[in-house]
Amino acid sequence: MVKRNSFLIVAVLLLITTFAFANVNLVFWHSMSDYQKPALDKLVSEFNSTHPGIHVVAIYEGNYDQTVTKLKTAFLSKNTPDIVQLNIEHLRIFTANHQLLDLSKFLSKDPSLKSDFVDPFWKTVVINGKPYALPFNISCLMLFYNEDLFKKAGLDPNKAPKTWKEMEEVAKKLTVRAPNGRATQYGLFWGVSGEDTAFYQFEPLIWQNGGKVFNSSMTKCLVDQPPAVETLKRWKSWFDEGISPANMNYQEGIQAFMMGKIAMGPMTSGGIRYALDNLPWDLGVAMLPSHKATATTLGGGSLAILSNVSLGKQKAAWEFIKWMTNTKNTLYWYENTGYLPVRKSALSSLQIKLIWKKFPQLKPAVEAIPYARPRPVNVDIIEIRHTLFNAIEEVRHGVKNPQQAFDDAAKKVDEILKSERQK
Amino acid sequence: MTRKKNLVILKHQKFRNFIKGYIFISPTALILTVFVFFPLIYAFVMSFHTWNMSSAPIYTGFQNYVTALKSVDFWNSMLYTSYYILGVLPLSLILGLFFALLLRDSTMRGTSIYRMIYFMPVVTSPIAAAMGFNWIFENQMGIANHLIEKLGGQPVSWLSTPTGILQMLFNHFNVVLPKVLQGPSLAMCVIISLGIWQNIGYATVIYLAGLQSISDTYYEAASLDGATKWKKFWHITLPLLSPSTFFLLIMFTIASFQVFGPIQIMTPAGGPLNTTSVIVFYLYKQAFSYYNMGYAMAVAFLLMGIILAMTIFQFLFLERKVNYE
């Protein structure tokens, strides 16, 4: 009898322990490809080894836009992941239909956590007063330049242009022409990517000129106003004057830059480490030049938990996203990619000074934070950005004049904004 | 009594045969229903709705169709599609026939190797082929520009020049053509050349089969009458190949209307000024980048209507010219 009882007790205990330490499997979708992926995978595997009972599987799902598409279809087929890395400007696409978990309940238990996130970064994840994600890989647009070409042109490689005017002058000096007049090296390429970050590079130029892309309630597109149109004219003049290559798309521009055929261009801070490791010449990184205002744009992604995740998994998922953004890991991520540290404690830490000593080019991005503005968001943001991108391309190829192109684009975007409100 | 019983048995047997038939076709029918008919009907219903895949669909009647037919972008992409078809069709057929005539003689040494070489592009994945072409026509590191520069020319921005090729010719005379006549952009021409490259092998194989079925007696009779080689080709080979030509024409038209893979790979943003944004690319963007699902489905049904109309036209007016032996 006693034997049988003890057997029962052991069995029950075993059952309890297996339940208590049962593995919580979490599926984590992300958009970190080539050079960022190894750093991310390393973080995830470290999390798995230090957190028995939780197992996170990280799956690459294509770029930010593709992740949105996949997540939308996953919701339709009821086959969603638990945690997802979303571009900060895509969060609203999913909060509009209550598909992301409101993190308030976890944050209220951890009051000091919220205040440790860098304020402008935190703002990007708060929608209608509620936080729906934790900022993870935030970047800002920086001016990348080729120090070797600066030296060759007799310029000081430690002095990047501070204003538009300076930038134009420097770019002229950096443009090299063959005897037949054809440029073999361009001073500047303010390229705008036509794909998932359409318009990302152009927005700060409008801000620097004192303009805005949208009104504050996101009901009207303001690119037909003078500040934006002037910006577009100025941007076009860089191609007309021959300091920028007219017939090169963004990818080709990047390639030309890497090959040392373009001297300057705006690029995301998330690529600094990759550039440092792979470029055969010395890279300089500086704040974007200012005009009427100093501004750069915040981009990048955040980590969100889906609202249909079961309660037990929610806790584990929260544990994961909190861990991924903690001071130590955000610094590791910063050092290995160039994405900004998201915690104030990381910005004031001693380690960050060591990182700067190793990679001085990583420092300007942190100094740019006070001037970095989050990008406006909307449910239909992808279509809107493509519309605006098409407008500036029409100007670049001389099909429309700046006023006409932005008038047409503003009208189209206003229509998209209007139909979105009606939905 | 027995008659009645026989009748019952007969009925029973008939019924059993009836059921048997359905059981035999059921696997295929089931697969088709799930993967073809249901999505088709669902898409048709959705084409009358506004739907972004997340919120509930809203019924909007024919609005999507009206918007599409009024949209400049829609008609532009139809224009680019026409450029593609007009570029790909004739050259695929002519070059296909050319290689078929060269490879006709199976006693020639190495015929089978050449046949394989010409058929290779057909079995190459369009994605892999597009990546290969991308590498050739790359602005900075492409082999095409490398050769041009070696020969002393200026490098060309193959995939990022939006100007139509006909317009380029007329640029020398300072004439601006209307948009429809400007012709495909250089980027589109690169994609057209890829399309031709992939089609030739298929056309060659079909033409080879067609050539083999032409009886030698026709040629012998023509030789006795003193016909030249060219006359034999024009009056015997070409007319008797017309069933093959007709078949290829219809297949290539339908396939060209639906070209997508190479464009997505070579010009992922739709090309310079969207000049490679053909109709399927346009509807893909609307559906999976902008999430205007209902609208995209309406465009898909418009496309289906156009392809159907084209095919009926080809059958009604071109088939008359086909010579069946």
Side-chain angles (χ1 to χ4, degrees):
Chain A
M1 191 67 186
V2 176
K3 224 179 181 179
R4 212 173 126 189
N5 264 346
S6 58
F7 175 74
L8 261 176
I9 289 166
V10 169
V12 166
L13 273 177
L14 259 174
L15 211 71
I16 291 170
T17 45
T18 39
F19 264 100
F21 295 107
N23 246 337
V24 181
N25 278 311
L26 295 172
V27 177
F28 167 40
W29 281 9
H30 65 84
S31 303
M32 300 284 91
S33 59
D34 25 80
Y35 63 94
Q36 302 139 337
K37 197 170 176 289
L40 185 89
D41 285 343
K42 190 149 180 266
L43 281 177
V44 171
S45 75
E46 202 183 318
F47 176 85
N48 285 337
S49 60
T50 52
H51 292 74
I54 306 177
H55 188 78
V56 178
V57 184
I59 305 168
Y60 171 66
E61 290 290 343
N63 65 28
Y64 293 127
D65 283 8
Q66 288 163 346
T67 306
V68 172
T69 307
K70 285 189 182 163
L71 193 56
K72 277 200 175 225
T73 34
F75 269 109
L76 289 179
S77 59
K78 300 193 169 52
N79 195 9
T80 45
D82 305 301
I83 306 158
V84 62
Q85 178 195 28
L86 285 172
N87 191 318
I88 43 180
E89 55 173 340
H90 293 162
L91 284 172
R92 198 166 292 244
I93 297 174
F94 295 101
T95 58
N97 295 292
H98 313 289
Q99 288 164 326
L100 299 184
L101 187 69
D102 175 7
L103 301 178
S104 307
K105 62 173 178 183
F106 295 113
L107 280 157
S108 59
K109 284 181 205 151
D110 234 332
S112 61
L113 186 66
K114 182 181 141 187
S115 54
D116 195 32
F117 278 97
V118 179
D119 298 320
F121 300 176
W122 185 252
K123 269 186 210 149
T124 64
V125 297
V126 177
I127 293 164
N128 299 330
K130 288 176 191 154
Y132 284 97
L134 294 184
F136 171 60
N137 58 318
I138 305 290
S139 62
C140 51
L141 201 66
M142 304 299 294
L143 186 76
F144 280 31
Y145 60 96
N146 186 323
E147 289 189 353
D148 290 9
L149 297 182
F150 266 58
K151 278 182 219 158
K152 240 184 243 166
L155 296 159
D156 181 3
N158 294 318
K159 258 182 75 184
K162 289 250 167 5
T163 61
W164 286 9
K165 233 181 138 205
E166 269 180 52
M167 178 169 73
E168 286 162 359
E169 282 161 13
V170 168
K172 256 177 218 154
K173 283 180 197 159
L174 286 164
T175 304
V176 179
R177 285 175 198 287
N180 61 4
R182 192 165 60 82
T184 52
Q185 179 189 312
Y186 290 97
L188 171 73
F189 185 40
W190 203 285
V192 181
S193 158
E195 288 156 78
D196 62 328
T197 55
F199 215 59
Y200 172 59
Q201 293 90 347
F202 198 83
E203 230 154 20
L205 287 178
I206 297 179
W207 294 337
Q208 286 160 8
N209 199 29
K212 272 180 168 179
V213 184
F214 299 100
N215 65 356
S216 48
S217 53
M218 276 300 276
T219 50
K220 223 180 145 357
C221 179
L222 302 178
V223 291
D224 53 351
Q225 306 291 314
V229 177
E230 273 168 30
T231 310
L232 187 54
K233 272 185 200 153
R234 187 81 171 242
W235 180 77
K236 168 78 160 103
S237 75
W238 300 337
F239 296 95
D240 292 342
E241 283 164 23
I243 54 176
S244 297
N247 267 341
M248 228 184 242
N249 63 31
Y250 185 73
Q251 280 72 22
E252 290 168 340
I254 297 240
Q255 211 147 60
F257 178 71
M258 299 209 301
M259 291 169 69
K261 288 185 178 174
I262 288 174
M264 293 187 284
M267 255 159 252
T268 159
S269 69
I272 295 178
R273 252 316 289 280
Y274 175 76
L276 287 176
D277 290 354
N278 292 286
L279 292 177
W281 38 265
D282 287 334
L283 174 77
V285 177
M287 176 72 199
L288 294 183
S290 351
H291 192 52
K292 287 176 187 158
T294 307
T296 181
T297 171
L298 280 183
S302 59
L303 300 179
I305 303 172
L306 301 195
S307 58
N308 58 3
V309 170
S310 68
L311 263 154
K313 275 187 167 186
Q314 279 179 15
K315 262 188 204 150
W318 167 251
E319 204 55 51
F320 175 68
I321 64 173
K322 203 171 78 176
W323 187 87
M324 288 292 275
T325 53
N326 74 21
T327 311
K328 180 177 153 265
N329 293 324
T330 201
L331 279 169
Y332 171 83
W333 185 238
Y334 170 61
E335 184 181 347
N336 285 285
T337 60
Y339 281 113
L340 297 165
V342 293
R343 298 288 199 100
K344 287 175 192 163
S345 54
L347 290 178
S348 59
S349 67
L350 213 60
Q351 290 102 300
I352 201 168
K353 295 198 173 97
L354 284 172
I355 295 174
W356 290 341
K357 229 177 187 173
K358 263 197 272 177
F359 307 107
Q361 288 93 335
L362 283 173
K363 196 177 176 188
V366 167
E367 291 164 346
I369 295 174
Y371 307 100
R373 302 185 196 178
R375 313 177 68 199
V377 288
N378 180 273
V379 173
D380 287 323
I381 200 69
I382 300 174
E383 188 175 0
I384 291 173
R385 293 203 187 292
H386 280 243
T387 309
L388 294 172
F389 167 75
N390 282 333
I392 63 170
E393 280 293 285
E394 282 168 341
V395 171
R396 184 157 79 105
H397 291 299
V399 178
K400 284 184 185 169
N401 69 44
Q403 185 70 51
Q404 192 192 353
F406 266 175
D407 277 352
D408 296 351
K411 221 178 276 165
K412 258 191 198 170
V413 172
D414 282 348
E415 253 165 53
I416 299 170
L417 290 173
K418 201 174 130 200
S419 75
E420 193 257 312
R421 282 199 301 280
Q422 284 164 349
K423 267 175 208 165
Chain B
M1 184 66 192
T2 38
R3 231 184 110 195
K4 214 176 175 184
K5 208 176 173 184
N6 279 345
L7 210 73
V8 169
I9 289 171
L10 201 73
K11 255 191 166 173
H12 190 67
Q13 220 164 20
K14 245 188 170 173
F15 179 73
R16 270 180 61 178
N17 278 340
F18 177 78
I19 288 287
K20 239 191 217 161
Y22 277 98
I23 289 174
F24 279 132
I25 64 163
S26 64
T28 317
L30 198 72
I31 290 170
L32 278 178
T33 314
V34 172
F35 292 106
V36 179
F37 299 129
F38 174 71
L40 200 70
I41 293 164
Y42 190 75
F44 188 65
V45 172
M46 275 303 157
S47 72
F48 296 99
H49 291 75
T50 299
W51 185 41
N52 68 2
M53 287 168 84
S54 295
S55 320
I58 305 162
Y59 178 74
T60 47
F62 279 94
Q63 200 199 312
N64 285 331
Y65 289 90
V66 175
T67 319
L69 292 173
K70 276 189 186 165
S71 152
V72 182
D73 295 335
F74 173 78
W75 288 111
N76 274 342
S77 52
M78 283 312 292
L79 177 69
Y80 303 142
T81 313
S82 324
Y83 285 152
Y84 182 80
I85 295 170
L86 291 177
V88 163
L89 272 185
L91 277 174
S92 303
L93 293 179
I94 292 170
L95 290 173
L97 180 57
F98 177 71
F99 288 120
L101 290 171
L102 285 184
L103 298 173
R104 187 184 194 177
D105 183 6
S106 53
T107 54
M108 194 172 73
R109 266 181 71 177
T111 310
S112 52
I113 289 177
Y114 278 109
R115 283 182 185 173
M116 198 186 76
I117 288 174
Y118 288 115
F119 198 66
M120 206 96 98
V122 183
V123 290
T124 308
S125 143
I127 305 301
M131 289 172 93
F133 266 62
N134 223 355
W135 175 73
I136 294 173
F137 292 105
E138 231 276 350
N139 186 311
Q140 296 296 313
M141 317 212 274
I143 196 158
N145 273 351
H146 181 75
L147 285 175
I148 289 174
E149 271 183 300
K150 274 267 136 51
L151 296 172
Q154 290 208 14
V156 181
S157 300
W158 296 100
L159 292 172
S160 37
T161 307
T163 329
I165 46 162
L166 294 175
Q167 179 60 46
M168 278 180 187
L169 291 176
F170 279 87
N171 272 347
H172 297 294
F173 312 109
N174 282 328
V175 181
V176 177
L177 295 170
K179 187 167 170 51
V180 185
L181 296 178
Q182 288 183 356
S185 66
L186 206 53
M188 186 49 125
C189 290
V190 172
I191 289 166
I192 287 174
S193 66
L194 169 62
I196 294 171
W197 181 73
Q198 286 222 295
N199 278 347
I200 288 175
Y202 189 68
T204 306
V205 166
I206 299 290
Y207 274 132
L208 271 174
L211 285 171
Q212 245 125 54
S213 70
I214 299 175
S215 163
D216 283 338
T217 50
Y218 296 112
Y219 294 108
E220 278 165 23
S223 303
L224 287 175
D225 287 343
T228 58
K229 248 190 170 178
W230 170 249
K231 279 212 163 136
K232 274 193 244 171
F233 170 75
W234 193 253
H235 293 290
I236 300 170
T237 316
L238 216 53
L240 287 178
L241 275 182
S242 55
S244 310
T245 311
F246 184 63
F247 169 75
L248 286 172
L249 195 69
I250 287 179
M251 295 309 282
F252 284 162
T253 313
I254 295 176
S256 303
F257 258 117
Q258 300 175 345
V259 62
F260 175 72
I263 289 166
Q264 171 75 3
I265 295 298
M266 294 172 77
T267 54
L273 293 184
N274 290 326
T275 49
T276 62
S277 168
V278 295
I279 189 73
V280 177
F281 185 82
Y282 173 72
L283 92 83
Y284 170 83
K285 270 263 136 96
Q286 288 292 339
F288 297 107
S289 289
Y290 307 155
Y291 313 110
N292 297 325
M293 265 299 164
Y295 178 73
M297 284 163 184
V299 172
F301 277 96
L302 286 174
L303 174 66
M304 191 184 91
I306 291 166
I307 295 182
L308 197 67
M310 275 293 278
T311 312
I312 289 174
F313 169 84
Q314 285 171 334
F315 265 101
L316 284 182
F317 295 97
L318 294 180
E319 209 190 6
R320 281 193 215 150
K321 302 218 166 84
V322 174
N323 286 295
Y324 292 106
E325 236 181 308

